[in-house]
Amino acid sequence: AFLPETKRVYVRTFGCSHNVSDSEYMCGLLASEGYEVSTDRADADAADAWVVNSCTVKDPSQAAFMKEVRRGMKDGKAVVVSGCIPQGERGLVKKQGGRKPPELDGASSVGIKQIGRVNEAVAAALRGETFHALGSGPLPSLELPKVRANALVEIVPLSSGCLGACAYCKTRHARGALGSYALADIVARVDGALADGVGEVWLSSEDTGAYGIDLGTSLGALLEALLPVLEAHPHGMLRVGMTNPPYVLDQLEVLGRCLNHAQVYAFLHVPVQSGSDAVLAKDRMNREYTVADFRAVVDGLAARVDGGLSLMTDVICGFPGETDDDFDATYALVEDYAFGLINISQFYARPGTPAASMKRVHTATVKDRSRRLSALTQTFRPYDGLVGTVVACAAHAEVADGGARLVCHTKTYAKVLVPFDRSLVGARFEVRIGAAHRWHVDGVVL
């Protein structure tokens, strides 16, 4: 009755690309054991077991995770939870003393360093038992079997954890201090993925800029080691993941050289969070950089990357103690750079973080600031200059408009929509840009 070949498992993922990578490995392990695995929500009801991979960054993501888990348990599914929430809040799944049962009593769990034991957890849950593997240990191997969420995109985690201690963030509670993969292991993983035929590799981490500091190496050294690998697979493109300013200030020269490479997207995600040094300070956000540091990173890289650099950033509106002047400084910074891509969040007090005990800004004020900043970003026109030009693009199976159009990207990672043609999936081609919109452009394949 419990042979894996007779059971179906639904895997749901919340959160960042690192979480997506963890889920890919868990799907690979489950499939190699014989389970029929699906990430399609349409298959959830027919599945015997659910694996729900969680994100602890914001209240809404945790609330959505909890709702999904409760739904699965109510429907009689064998539920296994994973990711940052059970790792950082073990009391949700394991009794920590006292008489009150855990909120997710009956769910099994695997921690962020124990994803290799997902088969044990699912088997136990299917038997009606509970299984918990939330301990520490070495990083999961990059050579575990995996099923890619997008068959043409390889997500490679560089590390787990970070060096920061931001006052509002719970990720450090879950993933711990920085632990980097060996440079040679990452290079081998990228080489193997490109040899498999993937067209795009994403380097992912809680902070890619901090990569290797614990091992005596650096992000710049890793990128330089990856360039010959890319050149050996000329169909492949590389995308560098999110980096905080402090750890790349001394790497701008090498990062600029690498972002200029034809097979590396001239795109970088650098969160600023606030345009006010008072908000970024140690006794507030504790972000470990100043606005001047942020400007030095983005201006320094922009000056070193030929043909333009696309920048993405994150901003938190209404952090405790944020004054009108603080917000005005953030507004001015965003207006100055006119970021093509930006994540704007209202402050959420995550339980157990230092920021949760700070005096809050009135909710109405937070919402108003968020609306004003969002309205500003809607006026930006980052892609108007592309209209009428011919640009080289790469497509990797993402579709839009119900499958009527194919998503592709330029060297600067501008999003281009073209009429769908199956022969273009996984290909590179030239596109004439016909119209520009706020978040993308329309084009015709030449």
Side-chain angles (χ1 to χ4, degrees):
F2 299 106
L3 286 174
E5 290 82 356
T6 69
K7 301 297 179 183
R8 289 177 283 189
V9 182
Y10 165 64
V11 179
R12 175 75 188 276
T13 306
F14 295 91
C16 65
S17 59
H18 195 162
N19 265 23
V20 174
S21 175
D22 286 349
S23 289
E24 290 178 339
Y25 281 120
M26 289 191 287
C27 286
L29 288 162
L30 290 162
S32 68
E33 187 77 358
Y35 293 105
E36 182 182 332
V37 183
S38 176
T39 57
D40 189 337
R41 194 164 181 80
D43 296 327
D45 290 342
D48 303 288
W50 287 12
V51 176
V52 188
N53 194 5
S54 63
C55 172
T56 190
V57 171
K58 299 177 184 177
D59 285 353
S61 60
Q62 178 153 347
F65 160 78
M66 297 291 286
K67 181 179 180 180
E68 186 81 339
V69 173
R70 291 190 181 105
R71 178 191 162 211
M73 296 177 74
K74 180 181 178 182
D75 290 349
K77 308 298 182 183
V79 176
V80 176
V81 297
S82 63
C84 291
I85 290 177
Q87 187 71 61
E89 299 181 49
R90 300 184 187 192
L92 285 175
V93 291
K94 291 183 69 177
K95 194 171 183 180
Q96 301 293 299
R99 297 179 180 178
K100 188 177 180 181
E103 193 169 347
L104 298 180
D105 191 26
S108 293
S109 62
V110 290
I112 53 103
K113 291 185 177 179
Q114 304 294 331
I115 60 174
R117 302 187 70 184
V118 67
N119 288 339
E120 296 175 68
V122 168
L126 285 168
R127 293 193 300 267
E129 304 167 4
T130 53
F131 175 95
H132 301 292
L134 297 170
S136 59
L139 294 172
S141 170
L142 294 178
E143 298 305 319
L144 291 173
K146 68 159 36 178
V147 176
R148 298 183 183 100
N150 181 329
L152 294 173
V153 175
E154 172 78 2
I155 304 173
V156 180
L158 304 187
S159 59
S160 187
C162 64
L163 293 174
C166 300
Y168 54 83
C169 183
K170 292 196 72 172
T171 304
R172 175 68 181 266
H173 292 243
R175 291 197 176 264
L178 179 69
S180 301
Y181 284 97
L183 188 149
D185 291 345
I186 296 171
V187 171
R189 181 69 234 178
V190 171
D191 187 38
L194 292 171
D196 282 347
V198 304
E200 192 165 297
V201 175
W202 297 359
L203 302 182
S204 178
S205 174
E206 282 67 59
D207 185 353
T208 59
Y211 167 75
I213 291 176
D214 55 320
L215 302 180
T217 186
S218 67
L219 174 63
L222 172 63
L223 293 177
E224 290 192 310
L226 287 174
L227 294 185
V229 176
L230 290 168
E231 291 165 2
H233 303 280
H235 65 279
M237 292 293 293
L238 182 73
R239 193 183 86 174
V240 181
M242 186 273 287
T243 178
N244 286 306
Y247 308 113
V248 293
L249 275 168
D250 61 351
Q251 301 187 67
L252 300 182
E253 197 65 42
V254 63
L255 291 183
R257 285 199 306 271
C258 293
L259 291 171
N260 268 315
H261 193 278
Q263 289 175 259
V264 181
Y265 286 115
F267 166 83
L268 203 59
H269 180 186
V270 187
V272 66
Q273 304 299 7
S274 174
S276 166
D277 284 341
V279 176
L280 296 173
K282 186 174 182 178
D283 62 342
R284 304 279 285 286
M285 282 190 176
N286 193 27
R287 287 290 288 171
E288 301 181 346
Y289 60 85
T290 64
V291 175
D293 292 334
F294 173 83
R295 288 184 178 273
V297 169
V298 297
D299 294 346
L301 287 175
R304 290 171 169 85
V305 178
D306 302 328
L309 172 71
S310 290
L311 286 167
M312 178 177 181
T313 198
D314 303 338
V315 171
I316 296 174
C317 289
F319 188 82
E322 182 186 69
T323 65
D324 288 340
D325 287 344
D326 292 331
F327 174 73
D328 289 345
T330 300
Y331 189 98
L333 180 80
V334 172
E335 188 173 36
D336 187 19
Y337 284 98
F339 298 102
L341 295 170
I342 182 170
N343 294 320
I344 300 171
S345 300
Q346 297 176 27
F347 171 73
Y348 293 100
R350 303 297 289 125
T353 63
S357 61
M358 296 179 185
K359 186 176 180 180
R360 302 280 296 276
V361 176
H362 194 278
T363 301
T365 301
V366 176
K367 290 182 177 180
D368 177 66
R369 290 173 181 172
S370 176
R371 282 193 293 265
R372 287 170 56 195
L373 197 60
S374 296
L376 170 67
T377 65
Q378 290 292 341
T379 68
F380 299 158
R381 304 290 302 181
Y383 307 124
D384 284 357
L386 292 176
V387 175
T389 65
V390 175
V391 294
C393 292
H396 299 111
E398 184 184 355
V399 295
D401 298 339
R405 294 201 284 179
L406 183 67
V407 176
C408 51
H409 291 95
T410 68
K411 172 71 164 67
T412 58
Y413 216 66
K415 183 178 181 179
V416 182
L417 301 185
V418 299
F420 183 82
D421 180 340
R422 185 174 296 278
S423 68
L424 298 176
V425 175
R428 291 193 190 185
F429 41 85
E430 289 189 333
V431 175
R432 185 183 302 280
I433 305 302
H437 307 279
R438 172 58 186 95
W439 304 107
H440 73 278
V441 295
D442 300 327
V444 177
V445 176
L446 301 180

